[in-house]
Amino acid sequence: MNFRNPVHLITGKNCVKDYGELLCSFGSSCLIVTGKSSAVRSGALADVTEVLESNHIRYEIYDRIAQNPTVASCLEGGKAAREMGAEFIIGIGGGSPLDAAKVVALAGAKDMTEEMLYGNDWPEAALPIVLVGTTAGTGSEVTNVAVLTDSRHRKHSVHDDRLYAALSLGDYRYTMSLPKSFTLSTGVDALAHCLESYFSRKASDISRAFSLRGLAILLKNLPLAGQPTEEVREALYNASILGGLAISVTGTVFPHNVGYYLSENYGVPHGTACAVFLPDLLNHLEKAVPEEAKAFYDALGTDRESLTALIKSTLPELDIAMTEEEIAAALPRWENNGSVKNTMGTVTAEDIRKILTEKFMQE
Ligand code: NAP
Ligand code: ZN
């Protein structure tokens, strides 16, 4: 086994204020990186700025991070950080602003271009990163990954130890303002992380412990009856962190990468886009690695039908119609893809063609 995670993670009610001094220990000025409204609506921005002000930390706010954040917005945020002389970066939001904050911290240390980012021409160190999550799904708080959309409108991840947060403060109460649709799409993203990680070729006893605990929590709490209670919010947030720890060991497998295509081309939210393919993963595993699949269901006290039903209960109707030509044009991206090859049992681009055809091909 090979496990390393240098993030100082603190979760729980009021943790931003309770650990305010720690939050302010990374320098005397910072850039807050966030989206249009999540930081305000969740209450996280008010808590963070109160702590910064009482500790006399100078700050500016860069709030132009959209869903599926672009490289260009991160480079623009980096420029803002350099111009104000930011000594550290605070990301507030869901996975989109958190991922973006990691790359702003890189570009805040050195003027970068998209080519430099994807060509690994990086500064020796990024600015210190503090993350404050407002969704319960991506686990970006504890991963060294940032998923960005490039100038050709393709989602690509970058990963490196320089992208680990120095500190992640996770107060589940910030997720209370999430509408039900995003609670489900982010919750099923956490489920996808735990499940995909379990069946990754890189899975280990440690990553599987994270996966199984995360899944046990999700099986109990993700079927949402009515408005989620504080207790449910906290459980979902913890499961999302466990999923992040699992994928920080293994990465994801094919549903995530095929899901990127639905987000890029059909605007499907990340978690939903990946979860659409989880029933196909379960079908594949039953045939390809039946003993591993049985041990997995036994450990969770569930079966394929029940897990499939839970996943499907989170999915909205998707208005997607693909042509044979479109599917054929997309296939090369999965021919030599790391996440696809990382799936236990063999998955080929041809398998993905069949899945897309069956699900989305126009009559
Ligand atoms: P998101 O894209 O960050 O946010 C989705 C929507 O929810 C946005 O409109 C956002 O508003 C809103 N929102 C967020 N928190 C809210 C709150 N507390 N109350 C009300 N609205 C809120 O969603 P996400 O699913 O967390 O992140 C998805 C991104 O993370 C994708 O790009 C995905 O590829 C990436 N990802 C990264 C990792 C990793 O390891 N780094 C893993 C999985 C996925 P705003 O517009 O104001 O932000
Ligand atoms: Zn994900």
Side-chain angles (χ1 to χ4, degrees):
M1 282 190 275
N2 187 341
F3 181 74
R4 174 169 178 272
N5 193 303
V7 177
H8 185 175
L9 170 73
I10 300 170
T11 66
K13 198 171 181 167
N14 215 39
C15 61
V16 167
K17 288 193 185 167
D18 288 349
Y19 290 86
E21 274 185 32
L22 186 58
L23 166 61
C24 295
S25 66
F26 299 97
S28 59
S29 57
C30 71
L31 182 71
I32 296 174
V33 175
T34 188
K36 237 183 2 249
S37 65
S38 52
V40 175
R41 273 198 280 170
S42 62
L45 185 66
D47 287 353
V48 167
T49 54
E50 185 184 320
V51 165
L52 294 175
E53 283 164 22
S54 60
N55 285 276
H56 311 290
I57 307 288
R58 187 168 60 86
Y59 66 87
E60 288 182 16
I61 299 173
Y62 181 83
D63 63 359
R64 301 180 61 187
I65 303 300
Q67 291 183 54
N68 305 303
T70 60
V71 173
S73 64
C74 297
L75 299 181
E76 189 180 84
K79 184 163 178 265
R82 291 194 309 279
E83 282 176 358
M84 72 161 287
E87 293 175 6
F88 66 107
I89 302 296
I90 303 180
I92 304 179
S96 297
L98 299 192
D99 283 3
K102 297 174 185 179
V103 176
V104 169
L106 265 189
K110 174 178 167 178
D111 191 6
M112 292 177 80
T113 60
E114 182 168 307
E115 292 65 40
M116 289 165 76
L117 179 70
Y118 288 118
N120 271 331
D121 181 1
W122 289 15
E124 227 163 87
L127 298 176
I129 303 163
V130 177
L131 299 178
V132 179
T134 67
T135 62
T138 70
S140 176
E141 290 92 328
V142 293
T143 70
N144 66 354
V145 178
V147 188
L148 301 180
T149 301
D150 70 15
S151 50
R152 292 179 306 136
H153 199 60
R154 285 274 294 266
K155 281 183 76 129
H156 290 285
S157 59
V158 284
H159 59 97
D160 186 274
D161 277 9
R162 280 166 278 191
L163 302 182
Y164 275 122
L167 176 66
S168 275
L169 294 170
D171 184 337
Y172 65 88
R173 290 176 313 160
Y174 299 145
T175 67
M176 304 279 292
S177 53
L178 259 186
K180 185 166 179 190
S181 62
F182 274 117
T183 304
L184 287 172
S185 69
T186 51
V188 80
D189 187 26
L191 189 149
H193 295 162
C194 294
L195 174 57
E196 292 183 35
S197 174
Y198 189 97
F199 290 103
S200 156
R201 290 179 188 278
K202 296 183 196 151
S204 66
D205 280 355
I206 287 182
S207 69
R208 284 187 162 177
F210 292 134
S211 284
L212 287 176
R213 182 67 195 132
L215 282 163
I217 295 172
L218 290 161
L219 291 184
K220 182 163 169 239
N221 291 281
L222 195 52
L224 294 180
Q227 203 47 32
T229 60
E230 274 207 30
E231 203 184 349
V232 169
R233 290 288 187 189
E234 183 167 23
L236 294 176
Y237 190 79
N238 289 345
S240 136
I241 294 293
L242 288 162
L245 289 167
I247 58 170
S248 78
V249 178
T250 61
T252 50
V253 301
F254 85 80
H256 255 67
N257 207 278
V258 186
Y260 287 171
Y261 183 80
L262 298 190
S263 293
E264 289 164 14
N265 294 287
Y266 295 93
V268 181
H270 170 72
T272 302
C274 304
V276 165
F277 301 106
L278 293 179
D280 304 296
L281 173 65
L282 296 179
N283 289 341
H284 158 74
L285 294 167
E286 188 121 307
K287 290 188 209 114
V289 286
E291 281 169 22
E292 294 268 2
K294 182 175 182 315
F296 167 78
Y297 293 123
D298 287 350
L300 280 173
T302 190
D303 53 34
R304 185 170 61 87
E305 290 73 21
S306 309
L307 187 53
T308 301
L310 171 60
I311 292 162
K312 288 192 172 167
S313 75
T314 71
L315 300 176
E317 279 292 317
L318 294 179
D319 185 19
I320 295 176
M322 296 182 185
T323 60
E324 200 175 334
E325 293 71 33
E326 177 189 348
I327 295 172
L331 276 200
R333 67 191 277 163
W334 297 299
E335 264 159 18
N336 206 13
N337 177 273
S339 300
V340 175
K341 288 200 283 193
N342 203 13
T343 315
M344 287 178 75
T346 305
V347 176
T348 62
E350 177 56 19
D351 295 327
I352 294 171
R353 188 186 64 74
K354 285 192 194 135
I355 291 169
L356 290 174
T357 302
E358 190 190 310
K359 279 189 158 35
F360 300 124
M361 184 115 124
Q362 284 171 327
E363 289 301 304

